[in-house]
mmCIF file with all atom_site columns, all heavy atoms in Angstrom:
data_model
loop_
_atom_site.group_PDB
_atom_site.id
_atom_site.type_symbol
_atom_site.label_atom_id
_atom_site.label_alt_id
_atom_site.label_comp_id
_atom_site.label_asym_id
_atom_site.label_entity_id
_atom_site.label_seq_id
_atom_site.pdbx_PDB_ins_code
_atom_site.Cartn_x
_atom_site.Cartn_y
_atom_site.Cartn_z
_atom_site.occupancy
_atom_site.B_iso_or_equiv
_atom_site.pdbx_formal_charge
_atom_site.auth_seq_id
_atom_site.auth_comp_id
_atom_site.auth_asym_id
_atom_site.auth_atom_id
_atom_site.pdbx_PDB_model_num
ATOM 1   N N   . ARG A 1 74  ? 57.105 -86.389 -37.740 1.00 96.00 ? 74  ARG A N   1
ATOM 2   C CA  . ARG A 1 74  ? 57.185 -85.436 -38.868 1.00 96.00 ? 74  ARG A CA  1
ATOM 3   C C   . ARG A 1 74  ? 55.902 -85.331 -39.615 1.00 96.00 ? 74  ARG A C   1
ATOM 4   O O   . ARG A 1 74  ? 55.350 -84.263 -39.962 1.00 96.00 ? 74  ARG A O   1
ATOM 5   C CB  . ARG A 1 74  ? 58.339 -85.804 -39.757 1.00 96.00 ? 74  ARG A CB  1
ATOM 6   C CG  . ARG A 1 74  ? 59.682 -85.374 -39.238 1.00 96.00 ? 74  ARG A CG  1
ATOM 7   C CD  . ARG A 1 74  ? 60.805 -85.532 -40.302 1.00 96.00 ? 74  ARG A CD  1
ATOM 8   N NE  . ARG A 1 74  ? 62.025 -85.379 -39.666 1.00 96.00 ? 74  ARG A NE  1
ATOM 9   C CZ  . ARG A 1 74  ? 63.210 -85.984 -40.012 1.00 96.00 ? 74  ARG A CZ  1
ATOM 10  N NH1 . ARG A 1 74  ? 63.156 -86.946 -41.033 1.00 96.00 ? 74  ARG A NH1 1
ATOM 11  N NH2 . ARG A 1 74  ? 64.371 -85.737 -39.425 1.00 96.00 ? 74  ARG A NH2 1
ATOM 12  N N   . GLU A 1 75  ? 55.339 -86.515 -39.830 1.00 96.00 ? 75  GLU A N   1
ATOM 13  C CA  . GLU A 1 75  ? 54.051 -86.618 -40.716 1.00 96.00 ? 75  GLU A CA  1
ATOM 14  C C   . GLU A 1 75  ? 52.993 -85.915 -39.811 1.00 96.00 ? 75  GLU A C   1
ATOM 15  O O   . GLU A 1 75  ? 52.232 -85.147 -40.474 1.00 96.00 ? 75  GLU A O   1
ATOM 16  C CB  . GLU A 1 75  ? 53.704 -88.075 -41.078 1.00 96.00 ? 75  GLU A CB  1
ATOM 17  C CG  . GLU A 1 75  ? 52.493 -88.209 -41.935 1.00 96.00 ? 75  GLU A CG  1
ATOM 18  C CD  . GLU A 1 75  ? 52.281 -89.677 -42.237 1.00 96.00 ? 75  GLU A CD  1
ATOM 19  O OE1 . GLU A 1 75  ? 53.133 -90.412 -42.323 1.00 96.00 ? 75  GLU A OE1 1
ATOM 20  O OE2 . GLU A 1 75  ? 51.070 -89.926 -42.324 1.00 96.00 ? 75  GLU A OE2 1
ATOM 21  N N   . ALA A 1 76  ? 52.863 -86.167 -38.633 1.00 96.00 ? 76  ALA A N   1
ATOM 22  C CA  . ALA A 1 76  ? 51.923 -85.642 -37.775 1.00 96.00 ? 76  ALA A CA  1
ATOM 23  C C   . ALA A 1 76  ? 52.010 -84.153 -37.742 1.00 96.00 ? 76  ALA A C   1
ATOM 24  O O   . ALA A 1 76  ? 51.020 -83.380 -37.728 1.00 96.00 ? 76  ALA A O   1
ATOM 25  C CB  . ALA A 1 76  ? 51.958 -86.243 -36.344 1.00 96.00 ? 76  ALA A CB  1
ATOM 26  N N   . LYS A 1 77  ? 53.262 -83.611 -37.516 1.00 96.00 ? 77  LYS A N   1
ATOM 27  C CA  . LYS A 1 77  ? 53.478 -82.174 -37.564 1.00 96.00 ? 77  LYS A CA  1
ATOM 28  C C   . LYS A 1 77  ? 53.022 -81.450 -38.843 1.00 96.00 ? 77  LYS A C   1
ATOM 29  O O   . LYS A 1 77  ? 52.425 -80.560 -38.834 1.00 96.00 ? 77  LYS A O   1
ATOM 30  C CB  . LYS A 1 77  ? 54.912 -81.861 -37.162 1.00 96.00 ? 77  LYS A CB  1
ATOM 31  C CG  . LYS A 1 77  ? 55.301 -82.048 -35.822 1.00 96.00 ? 77  LYS A CG  1
ATOM 32  C CD  . LYS A 1 77  ? 54.408 -81.220 -34.850 1.00 96.00 ? 77  LYS A CD  1
ATOM 33  C CE  . LYS A 1 77  ? 54.747 -81.275 -33.398 1.00 96.00 ? 77  LYS A CE  1
ATOM 34  N NZ  . LYS A 1 77  ? 53.949 -80.463 -32.569 1.00 96.00 ? 77  LYS A NZ  1
ATOM 35  N N   . THR A 1 78  ? 53.403 -82.193 -39.950 1.00 96.00 ? 78  THR A N   1
ATOM 36  C CA  . THR A 1 78  ? 52.986 -81.717 -41.266 1.00 96.00 ? 78  THR A CA  1
ATOM 37  C C   . THR A 1 78  ? 51.453 -81.635 -41.380 1.00 96.00 ? 78  THR A C   1
ATOM 38  O O   . THR A 1 78  ? 50.973 -80.661 -41.864 1.00 96.00 ? 78  THR A O   1
ATOM 39  C CB  . THR A 1 78  ? 53.633 -82.547 -42.362 1.00 96.00 ? 78  THR A CB  1
ATOM 40  O OG1 . THR A 1 78  ? 55.037 -82.554 -42.205 1.00 96.00 ? 78  THR A OG1 1
ATOM 41  C CG2 . THR A 1 78  ? 53.330 -82.127 -43.755 1.00 96.00 ? 78  THR A CG2 1
ATOM 42  N N   . ASN A 1 79  ? 50.824 -82.745 -40.918 1.00 96.00 ? 79  ASN A N   1
ATOM 43  C CA  . ASN A 1 79  ? 49.307 -82.743 -41.020 1.00 96.00 ? 79  ASN A CA  1
ATOM 44  C C   . ASN A 1 79  ? 48.834 -81.649 -40.056 1.00 96.00 ? 79  ASN A C   1
ATOM 45  O O   . ASN A 1 79  ? 47.828 -80.955 -40.434 1.00 96.00 ? 79  ASN A O   1
ATOM 46  C CB  . ASN A 1 79  ? 48.832 -84.138 -40.658 1.00 96.00 ? 79  ASN A CB  1
ATOM 47  C CG  . ASN A 1 79  ? 49.163 -85.170 -41.538 1.00 96.00 ? 79  ASN A CG  1
ATOM 48  O OD1 . ASN A 1 79  ? 49.413 -84.817 -42.739 1.00 96.00 ? 79  ASN A OD1 1
ATOM 49  N ND2 . ASN A 1 79  ? 49.078 -86.480 -41.158 1.00 96.00 ? 79  ASN A ND2 1
ATOM 50  N N   . ASP A 1 80  ? 49.368 -81.502 -38.888 1.00 96.00 ? 80  ASP A N   1
ATOM 51  C CA  . ASP A 1 80  ? 48.849 -80.440 -37.998 1.00 96.00 ? 80  ASP A CA  1
ATOM 52  C C   . ASP A 1 80  ? 48.985 -79.101 -38.759 1.00 96.00 ? 80  ASP A C   1
ATOM 53  O O   . ASP A 1 80  ? 48.033 -78.188 -38.523 1.00 96.00 ? 80  ASP A O   1
ATOM 54  C CB  . ASP A 1 80  ? 49.630 -80.354 -36.618 1.00 96.00 ? 80  ASP A CB  1
ATOM 55  C CG  . ASP A 1 80  ? 49.294 -81.551 -35.813 1.00 96.00 ? 80  ASP A CG  1
ATOM 56  O OD1 . ASP A 1 80  ? 48.144 -82.242 -36.141 1.00 96.00 ? 80  ASP A OD1 1
ATOM 57  O OD2 . ASP A 1 80  ? 50.006 -81.734 -34.757 1.00 96.00 ? 80  ASP A OD2 1
ATOM 58  N N   . ALA A 1 81  ? 50.120 -78.818 -39.246 1.00 96.00 ? 81  ALA A N   1
ATOM 59  C CA  . ALA A 1 81  ? 50.298 -77.554 -40.037 1.00 96.00 ? 81  ALA A CA  1
ATOM 60  C C   . ALA A 1 81  ? 49.311 -77.297 -41.137 1.00 96.00 ? 81  ALA A C   1
ATOM 61  O O   . ALA A 1 81  ? 48.853 -76.172 -41.268 1.00 96.00 ? 81  ALA A O   1
ATOM 62  C CB  . ALA A 1 81  ? 51.842 -77.475 -40.494 1.00 96.00 ? 81  ALA A CB  1
ATOM 63  N N   . ALA A 1 82  ? 49.099 -78.361 -41.900 1.00 96.00 ? 82  ALA A N   1
ATOM 64  C CA  . ALA A 1 82  ? 48.145 -78.304 -42.969 1.00 96.00 ? 82  ALA A CA  1
ATOM 65  C C   . ALA A 1 82  ? 46.793 -77.989 -42.368 1.00 96.00 ? 82  ALA A C   1
ATOM 66  O O   . ALA A 1 82  ? 46.033 -77.231 -43.025 1.00 96.00 ? 82  ALA A O   1
ATOM 67  C CB  . ALA A 1 82  ? 48.121 -79.465 -43.887 1.00 96.00 ? 82  ALA A CB  1
ATOM 68  N N   . LEU A 1 83  ? 46.411 -78.661 -41.399 1.00 96.00 ? 83  LEU A N   1
ATOM 69  C CA  . LEU A 1 83  ? 45.147 -78.387 -40.735 1.00 96.00 ? 83  LEU A CA  1
ATOM 70  C C   . LEU A 1 83  ? 44.921 -77.018 -40.196 1.00 96.00 ? 83  LEU A C   1
ATOM 71  O O   . LEU A 1 83  ? 43.919 -76.460 -40.430 1.00 96.00 ? 83  LEU A O   1
ATOM 72  C CB  . LEU A 1 83  ? 44.830 -79.407 -39.637 1.00 96.00 ? 83  LEU A CB  1
ATOM 73  C CG  . LEU A 1 83  ? 43.545 -79.393 -38.885 1.00 96.00 ? 83  LEU A CG  1
ATOM 74  C CD1 . LEU A 1 83  ? 42.359 -79.626 -39.864 1.00 96.00 ? 83  LEU A CD1 1
ATOM 75  C CD2 . LEU A 1 83  ? 43.473 -80.443 -37.800 1.00 96.00 ? 83  LEU A CD2 1
ATOM 76  N N   . ASP A 1 84  ? 46.003 -76.531 -39.562 1.00 96.00 ? 84  ASP A N   1
ATOM 77  C CA  . ASP A 1 84  ? 46.033 -75.210 -38.977 1.00 96.00 ? 84  ASP A CA  1
ATOM 78  C C   . ASP A 1 84  ? 45.735 -74.196 -40.165 1.00 96.00 ? 84  ASP A C   1
ATOM 79  O O   . ASP A 1 84  ? 45.035 -73.251 -40.095 1.00 96.00 ? 84  ASP A O   1
ATOM 80  C CB  . ASP A 1 84  ? 47.107 -74.846 -38.243 1.00 96.00 ? 84  ASP A CB  1
ATOM 81  C CG  . ASP A 1 84  ? 47.263 -75.589 -36.918 1.00 96.00 ? 84  ASP A CG  1
ATOM 82  O OD1 . ASP A 1 84  ? 46.252 -76.190 -36.390 1.00 96.00 ? 84  ASP A OD1 1
ATOM 83  O OD2 . ASP A 1 84  ? 48.466 -75.661 -36.313 1.00 96.00 ? 84  ASP A OD2 1
ATOM 84  N N   . SER A 1 85  ? 46.527 -74.466 -41.286 1.00 96.00 ? 85  SER A N   1
ATOM 85  C CA  . SER A 1 85  ? 46.363 -73.519 -42.407 1.00 96.00 ? 85  SER A CA  1
ATOM 86  C C   . SER A 1 85  ? 45.070 -73.647 -42.989 1.00 96.00 ? 85  SER A C   1
ATOM 87  O O   . SER A 1 85  ? 44.401 -72.538 -43.244 1.00 96.00 ? 85  SER A O   1
ATOM 88  C CB  . SER A 1 85  ? 47.429 -73.931 -43.385 1.00 96.00 ? 85  SER A CB  1
ATOM 89  O OG  . SER A 1 85  ? 47.308 -73.180 -44.640 1.00 96.00 ? 85  SER A OG  1
ATOM 90  N N   . SER A 1 86  ? 44.422 -74.679 -43.183 1.00 96.00 ? 86  SER A N   1
ATOM 91  C CA  . SER A 1 86  ? 43.047 -74.911 -43.499 1.00 96.00 ? 86  SER A CA  1
ATOM 92  C C   . SER A 1 86  ? 42.079 -74.155 -42.661 1.00 96.00 ? 86  SER A C   1
ATOM 93  O O   . SER A 1 86  ? 41.186 -73.459 -43.156 1.00 96.00 ? 86  SER A O   1
ATOM 94  C CB  . SER A 1 86  ? 42.632 -76.261 -43.690 1.00 96.00 ? 86  SER A CB  1
ATOM 95  O OG  . SER A 1 86  ? 43.102 -76.955 -44.859 1.00 96.00 ? 86  SER A OG  1
ATOM 96  N N   . LEU A 1 87  ? 42.260 -74.309 -41.451 1.00 96.00 ? 87  LEU A N   1
ATOM 97  C CA  . LEU A 1 87  ? 41.287 -73.619 -40.397 1.00 96.00 ? 87  LEU A CA  1
ATOM 98  C C   . LEU A 1 87  ? 41.448 -72.168 -40.536 1.00 96.00 ? 87  LEU A C   1
ATOM 99  O O   . LEU A 1 87  ? 40.451 -71.433 -40.594 1.00 96.00 ? 87  LEU A O   1
ATOM 100 C CB  . LEU A 1 87  ? 41.578 -74.091 -39.071 1.00 96.00 ? 87  LEU A CB  1
ATOM 101 C CG  . LEU A 1 87  ? 41.201 -75.575 -38.763 1.00 96.00 ? 87  LEU A CG  1
ATOM 102 C CD1 . LEU A 1 87  ? 41.705 -75.916 -37.348 1.00 96.00 ? 87  LEU A CD1 1
ATOM 103 C CD2 . LEU A 1 87  ? 39.738 -75.785 -38.844 1.00 96.00 ? 87  LEU A CD2 1
ATOM 104 N N   . ASP A 1 88  ? 42.661 -71.691 -40.653 1.00 96.00 ? 88  ASP A N   1
ATOM 105 C CA  . ASP A 1 88  ? 42.880 -70.200 -40.898 1.00 96.00 ? 88  ASP A CA  1
ATOM 106 C C   . ASP A 1 88  ? 42.229 -69.741 -42.170 1.00 96.00 ? 88  ASP A C   1
ATOM 107 O O   . ASP A 1 88  ? 41.551 -68.735 -42.093 1.00 96.00 ? 88  ASP A O   1
ATOM 108 C CB  . ASP A 1 88  ? 44.413 -69.827 -40.898 1.00 96.00 ? 88  ASP A CB  1
ATOM 109 C CG  . ASP A 1 88  ? 45.056 -69.946 -39.534 1.00 96.00 ? 88  ASP A CG  1
ATOM 110 O OD1 . ASP A 1 88  ? 44.341 -69.887 -38.535 1.00 96.00 ? 88  ASP A OD1 1
ATOM 111 O OD2 . ASP A 1 88  ? 46.283 -70.013 -39.490 1.00 96.00 ? 88  ASP A OD2 1
ATOM 112 N N   . GLN A 1 89  ? 42.403 -70.412 -43.260 1.00 97.00 ? 89  GLN A N   1
ATOM 113 C CA  . GLN A 1 89  ? 41.755 -70.074 -44.499 1.00 97.00 ? 89  GLN A CA  1
ATOM 114 C C   . GLN A 1 89  ? 40.197 -70.008 -44.389 1.00 97.00 ? 89  GLN A C   1
ATOM 115 O O   . GLN A 1 89  ? 39.544 -69.178 -44.869 1.00 97.00 ? 89  GLN A O   1
ATOM 116 C CB  . GLN A 1 89  ? 42.213 -70.981 -45.611 1.00 97.00 ? 89  GLN A CB  1
ATOM 117 C CG  . GLN A 1 89  ? 43.570 -70.790 -46.067 1.00 97.00 ? 89  GLN A CG  1
ATOM 118 C CD  . GLN A 1 89  ? 44.069 -71.883 -47.082 1.00 97.00 ? 89  GLN A CD  1
ATOM 119 O OE1 . GLN A 1 89  ? 43.317 -72.673 -47.486 1.00 97.00 ? 89  GLN A OE1 1
ATOM 120 N NE2 . GLN A 1 89  ? 45.306 -71.708 -47.497 1.00 97.00 ? 89  GLN A NE2 1
ATOM 121 N N   . GLN A 1 90  ? 39.749 -71.070 -43.658 1.00 97.00 ? 90  GLN A N   1
ATOM 122 C CA  . GLN A 1 90  ? 38.282 -71.046 -43.392 1.00 97.00 ? 90  GLN A CA  1
ATOM 123 C C   . GLN A 1 90  ? 37.751 -69.925 -42.678 1.00 97.00 ? 90  GLN A C   1
ATOM 124 O O   . GLN A 1 90  ? 36.709 -69.240 -42.894 1.00 97.00 ? 90  GLN A O   1
ATOM 125 C CB  . GLN A 1 90  ? 37.788 -72.407 -42.716 1.00 97.00 ? 90  GLN A CB  1
ATOM 126 C CG  . GLN A 1 90  ? 36.413 -72.650 -42.473 1.00 97.00 ? 90  GLN A CG  1
ATOM 127 C CD  . GLN A 1 90  ? 35.661 -72.789 -43.689 1.00 97.00 ? 90  GLN A CD  1
ATOM 128 O OE1 . GLN A 1 90  ? 36.102 -73.337 -44.695 1.00 97.00 ? 90  GLN A OE1 1
ATOM 129 N NE2 . GLN A 1 90  ? 34.330 -72.381 -43.666 1.00 97.00 ? 90  GLN A NE2 1
ATOM 130 N N   . ARG A 1 91  ? 38.458 -69.585 -41.548 1.00 97.00 ? 91  ARG A N   1
ATOM 131 C CA  . ARG A 1 91  ? 38.139 -68.441 -40.734 1.00 97.00 ? 91  ARG A CA  1
ATOM 132 C C   . ARG A 1 91  ? 38.159 -67.177 -41.531 1.00 97.00 ? 91  ARG A C   1
ATOM 133 O O   . ARG A 1 91  ? 37.271 -66.368 -41.365 1.00 97.00 ? 91  ARG A O   1
ATOM 134 C CB  . ARG A 1 91  ? 39.054 -68.355 -39.523 1.00 97.00 ? 91  ARG A CB  1
ATOM 135 C CG  . ARG A 1 91  ? 38.729 -69.280 -38.507 1.00 97.00 ? 91  ARG A CG  1
ATOM 136 C CD  . ARG A 1 91  ? 39.454 -69.012 -37.171 1.00 97.00 ? 91  ARG A CD  1
ATOM 137 N NE  . ARG A 1 91  ? 39.807 -70.219 -36.616 1.00 97.00 ? 91  ARG A NE  1
ATOM 138 C CZ  . ARG A 1 91  ? 40.996 -70.770 -36.448 1.00 97.00 ? 91  ARG A CZ  1
ATOM 139 N NH1 . ARG A 1 91  ? 41.973 -70.205 -36.976 1.00 97.00 ? 91  ARG A NH1 1
ATOM 140 N NH2 . ARG A 1 91  ? 41.197 -71.945 -35.882 1.00 97.00 ? 91  ARG A NH2 1
ATOM 141 N N   . GLN A 1 92  ? 39.270 -67.029 -42.287 1.00 97.00 ? 92  GLN A N   1
ATOM 142 C CA  . GLN A 1 92  ? 39.245 -65.705 -43.224 1.00 97.00 ? 92  GLN A CA  1
ATOM 143 C C   . GLN A 1 92  ? 38.188 -65.640 -44.156 1.00 97.00 ? 92  GLN A C   1
ATOM 144 O O   . GLN A 1 92  ? 37.607 -64.650 -44.419 1.00 97.00 ? 92  GLN A O   1
ATOM 145 C CB  . GLN A 1 92  ? 40.646 -65.811 -43.983 1.00 97.00 ? 92  GLN A CB  1
ATOM 146 C CG  . GLN A 1 92  ? 41.836 -65.502 -43.170 1.00 97.00 ? 92  GLN A CG  1
ATOM 147 C CD  . GLN A 1 92  ? 43.189 -65.734 -43.807 1.00 97.00 ? 92  GLN A CD  1
ATOM 148 O OE1 . GLN A 1 92  ? 43.156 -66.057 -45.028 1.00 97.00 ? 92  GLN A OE1 1
ATOM 149 N NE2 . GLN A 1 92  ? 44.324 -65.510 -43.083 1.00 97.00 ? 92  GLN A NE2 1
ATOM 150 N N   . HIS A 1 93  ? 37.865 -66.828 -44.791 1.00 97.00 ? 93  HIS A N   1
ATOM 151 C CA  . HIS A 1 93  ? 36.748 -66.864 -45.766 1.00 97.00 ? 93  HIS A CA  1
ATOM 152 C C   . HIS A 1 93  ? 35.443 -66.537 -45.053 1.00 97.00 ? 93  HIS A C   1
ATOM 153 O O   . HIS A 1 93  ? 34.639 -65.651 -45.502 1.00 97.00 ? 93  HIS A O   1
ATOM 154 C CB  . HIS A 1 93  ? 36.604 -68.326 -46.419 1.00 97.00 ? 93  HIS A CB  1
ATOM 155 C CG  . HIS A 1 93  ? 35.323 -68.400 -47.204 1.00 97.00 ? 93  HIS A CG  1
ATOM 156 N ND1 . HIS A 1 93  ? 35.294 -67.811 -48.351 1.00 97.00 ? 93  HIS A ND1 1
ATOM 157 C CD2 . HIS A 1 93  ? 34.182 -69.136 -46.938 1.00 97.00 ? 93  HIS A CD2 1
ATOM 158 C CE1 . HIS A 1 93  ? 33.932 -68.174 -48.967 1.00 97.00 ? 93  HIS A CE1 1
ATOM 159 N NE2 . HIS A 1 93  ? 33.411 -68.879 -48.110 1.00 97.00 ? 93  HIS A NE2 1
ATOM 160 N N   . GLU A 1 94  ? 35.223 -67.072 -43.794 1.00 97.00 ? 94  GLU A N   1
ATOM 161 C CA  . GLU A 1 94  ? 33.975 -66.654 -43.130 1.00 97.00 ? 94  GLU A CA  1
ATOM 162 C C   . GLU A 1 94  ? 33.977 -65.326 -42.703 1.00 97.00 ? 94  GLU A C   1
ATOM 163 O O   . GLU A 1 94  ? 32.919 -64.651 -42.715 1.00 97.00 ? 94  GLU A O   1
ATOM 164 C CB  . GLU A 1 94  ? 33.846 -67.686 -41.798 1.00 97.00 ? 94  GLU A CB  1
ATOM 165 C CG  . GLU A 1 94  ? 33.571 -69.080 -42.176 1.00 97.00 ? 94  GLU A CG  1
ATOM 166 C CD  . GLU A 1 94  ? 33.688 -70.046 -40.837 1.00 97.00 ? 94  GLU A CD  1
ATOM 167 O OE1 . GLU A 1 94  ? 34.132 -69.500 -39.870 1.00 97.00 ? 94  GLU A OE1 1
ATOM 168 O OE2 . GLU A 1 94  ? 33.436 -71.278 -41.093 1.00 97.00 ? 94  GLU A OE2 1
ATOM 169 N N   . THR A 1 95  ? 35.157 -64.765 -42.391 1.00 97.00 ? 95  THR A N   1
ATOM 170 C CA  . THR A 1 95  ? 35.224 -63.375 -41.875 1.00 97.00 ? 95  THR A CA  1
ATOM 171 C C   . THR A 1 95  ? 34.815 -62.407 -43.223 1.00 97.00 ? 95  THR A C   1
ATOM 172 O O   . THR A 1 95  ? 34.088 -61.417 -43.050 1.00 97.00 ? 95  THR A O   1
ATOM 173 C CB  . THR A 1 95  ? 36.544 -62.964 -41.435 1.00 97.00 ? 95  THR A CB  1
ATOM 174 O OG1 . THR A 1 95  ? 36.862 -63.790 -40.232 1.00 97.00 ? 95  THR A OG1 1
ATOM 175 C CG2 . THR A 1 95  ? 36.735 -61.504 -41.017 1.00 97.00 ? 95  THR A CG2 1
ATOM 176 N N   . ARG A 1 96  ? 35.377 -62.778 -44.364 1.00 97.00 ? 96  ARG A N   1
ATOM 177 C CA  . ARG A 1 96  ? 35.109 -62.055 -45.554 1.00 97.00 ? 96  ARG A CA  1
ATOM 178 C C   . ARG A 1 96  ? 33.636 -62.111 -45.855 1.00 97.00 ? 96  ARG A C   1
ATOM 179 O O   . ARG A 1 96  ? 33.017 -61.062 -46.275 1.00 97.00 ? 96  ARG A O   1
ATOM 180 C CB  . ARG A 1 96  ? 35.973 -62.462 -46.704 1.00 97.00 ? 96  ARG A CB  1
ATOM 181 C CG  . ARG A 1 96  ? 37.430 -62.000 -46.611 1.00 97.00 ? 96  ARG A CG  1
ATOM 182 C CD  . ARG A 1 96  ? 38.173 -62.273 -48.014 1.00 97.00 ? 96  ARG A CD  1
ATOM 183 N NE  . ARG A 1 96  ? 38.187 -63.680 -48.271 1.00 97.00 ? 96  ARG A NE  1
ATOM 184 C CZ  . ARG A 1 96  ? 39.221 -64.488 -47.872 1.00 97.00 ? 96  ARG A CZ  1
ATOM 185 N NH1 . ARG A 1 96  ? 40.158 -64.107 -47.169 1.00 97.00 ? 96  ARG A NH1 1
ATOM 186 N NH2 . ARG A 1 96  ? 39.103 -65.822 -48.346 1.00 97.00 ? 96  ARG A NH2 1
ATOM 187 N N   . GLN A 1 97  ? 33.032 -63.225 -45.739 1.00 97.00 ? 97  GLN A N   1
ATOM 188 C CA  . GLN A 1 97  ? 31.738 -63.448 -46.055 1.00 97.00 ? 97  GLN A CA  1
ATOM 189 C C   . GLN A 1 97  ? 30.794 -62.598 -45.012 1.00 97.00 ? 97  GLN A C   1
ATOM 190 O O   . GLN A 1 97  ? 29.837 -61.920 -45.456 1.00 97.00 ? 97  GLN A O   1
ATOM 191 C CB  . GLN A 1 97  ? 31.333 -64.940 -45.912 1.00 97.00 ? 97  GLN A CB  1
ATOM 192 C CG  . GLN A 1 97  ? 30.037 -65.342 -46.627 1.00 97.00 ? 97  GLN A CG  1
ATOM 193 C CD  . GLN A 1 97  ? 30.007 -66.926 -46.620 1.00 97.00 ? 97  GLN A CD  1
ATOM 194 O OE1 . GLN A 1 97  ? 30.557 -67.553 -45.841 1.00 97.00 ? 97  GLN A OE1 1
ATOM 195 N NE2 . GLN A 1 97  ? 29.251 -67.316 -47.625 1.00 97.00 ? 97  GLN A NE2 1
ATOM 196 N N   . GLU A 1 98  ? 31.109 -62.625 -43.772 1.00 97.00 ? 98  GLU A N   1
ATOM 197 C CA  . GLU A 1 98  ? 30.344 -61.942 -42.783 1.00 97.00 ? 98  GLU A CA  1
ATOM 198 C C   . GLU A 1 98  ? 30.512 -60.369 -43.070 1.00 97.00 ? 98  GLU A C   1
ATOM 199 O O   . GLU A 1 98  ? 29.565 -59.710 -42.900 1.00 97.00 ? 98  GLU A O   1
ATOM 200 C CB  . GLU A 1 98  ? 30.964 -62.381 -41.435 1.00 97.00 ? 98  GLU A CB  1
ATOM 201 C CG  . GLU A 1 98  ? 30.108 -61.898 -40.178 1.00 97.00 ? 98  GLU A CG  1
ATOM 202 C CD  . GLU A 1 98  ? 30.673 -62.454 -38.951 1.00 97.00 ? 98  GLU A CD  1
ATOM 203 O OE1 . GLU A 1 98  ? 30.961 -63.582 -38.797 1.00 97.00 ? 98  GLU A OE1 1
ATOM 204 O OE2 . GLU A 1 98  ? 30.894 -61.535 -37.988 1.00 97.00 ? 98  GLU A OE2 1
ATOM 205 N N   . THR A 1 99  ? 31.765 -59.984 -43.394 1.00 96.00 ? 99  THR A N   1
ATOM 206 C CA  . THR A 1 99  ? 31.939 -58.532 -43.653 1.00 96.00 ? 99  THR A CA  1
ATOM 207 C C   . THR A 1 99  ? 31.091 -58.192 -44.942 1.00 96.00 ? 99  THR A C   1
ATOM 208 O O   . THR A 1 99  ? 30.447 -57.086 -44.904 1.00 96.00 ? 99  THR A O   1
ATOM 209 C CB  . THR A 1 99  ? 33.394 -58.365 -44.001 1.00 96.00 ? 99  THR A CB  1
ATOM 210 O OG1 . THR A 1 99  ? 34.171 -58.637 -42.793 1.00 96.00 ? 99  THR A OG1 1
ATOM 211 C CG2 . THR A 1 99  ? 33.729 -56.851 -44.245 1.00 96.00 ? 99  THR A CG2 1
ATOM 212 N N   . ALA A 1 100 ? 31.134 -58.980 -45.915 1.00 96.00 ? 100 ALA A N   1
ATOM 213 C CA  . ALA A 1 100 ? 30.291 -58.654 -47.087 1.00 96.00 ? 100 ALA A CA  1
ATOM 214 C C   . ALA A 1 100 ? 28.772 -58.617 -46.714 1.00 96.00 ? 100 ALA A C   1
ATOM 215 O O   . ALA A 1 100 ? 28.051 -57.644 -47.235 1.00 96.00 ? 100 ALA A O   1
ATOM 216 C CB  . ALA A 1 100 ? 30.505 -59.746 -48.185 1.00 96.00 ? 100 ALA A CB  1
ATOM 217 N N   . GLU A 1 101 ? 28.389 -59.485 -45.970 1.00 96.00 ? 101 GLU A N   1
ATOM 218 C CA  . GLU A 1 101 ? 26.889 -59.481 -45.548 1.00 96.00 ? 101 GLU A CA  1
ATOM 219 C C   . GLU A 1 101 ? 26.609 -58.182 -44.798 1.00 96.00 ? 101 GLU A C   1
ATOM 220 O O   . GLU A 1 101 ? 25.527 -57.630 -44.835 1.00 96.00 ? 101 GLU A O   1
ATOM 221 C CB  . GLU A 1 101 ? 26.543 -60.781 -44.685 1.00 96.00 ? 101 GLU A CB  1
ATOM 222 C CG  . GLU A 1 101 ? 26.575 -62.062 -45.552 1.00 96.00 ? 101 GLU A CG  1
ATOM 223 C CD  . GLU A 1 101 ? 26.468 -63.346 -44.590 1.00 96.00 ? 101 GLU A CD  1
ATOM 224 O OE1 . GLU A 1 101 ? 26.455 -63.194 -43.427 1.00 96.00 ? 101 GLU A OE1 1
ATOM 225 O OE2 . GLU A 1 101 ? 26.516 -64.480 -45.159 1.00 96.00 ? 101 GLU A OE2 1
#
Side-chain angles (χ1 to χ4, degrees):
R74 284 184 184 148
E75 184 178 330
K77 285 298 182 182
T78 301
N79 290 340
D80 286 348
L83 180 60
D84 288 345
S85 176
S86 277
L87 290 174
D88 284 345
Q89 289 175 359
Q90 179 67 29
R91 281 189 217 109
Q92 289 173 358
H93 173 72
E94 289 171 357
T95 300
R96 283 191 300 270
Q97 201 172 22
E98 196 174 302
T99 301
E101 290 171 1

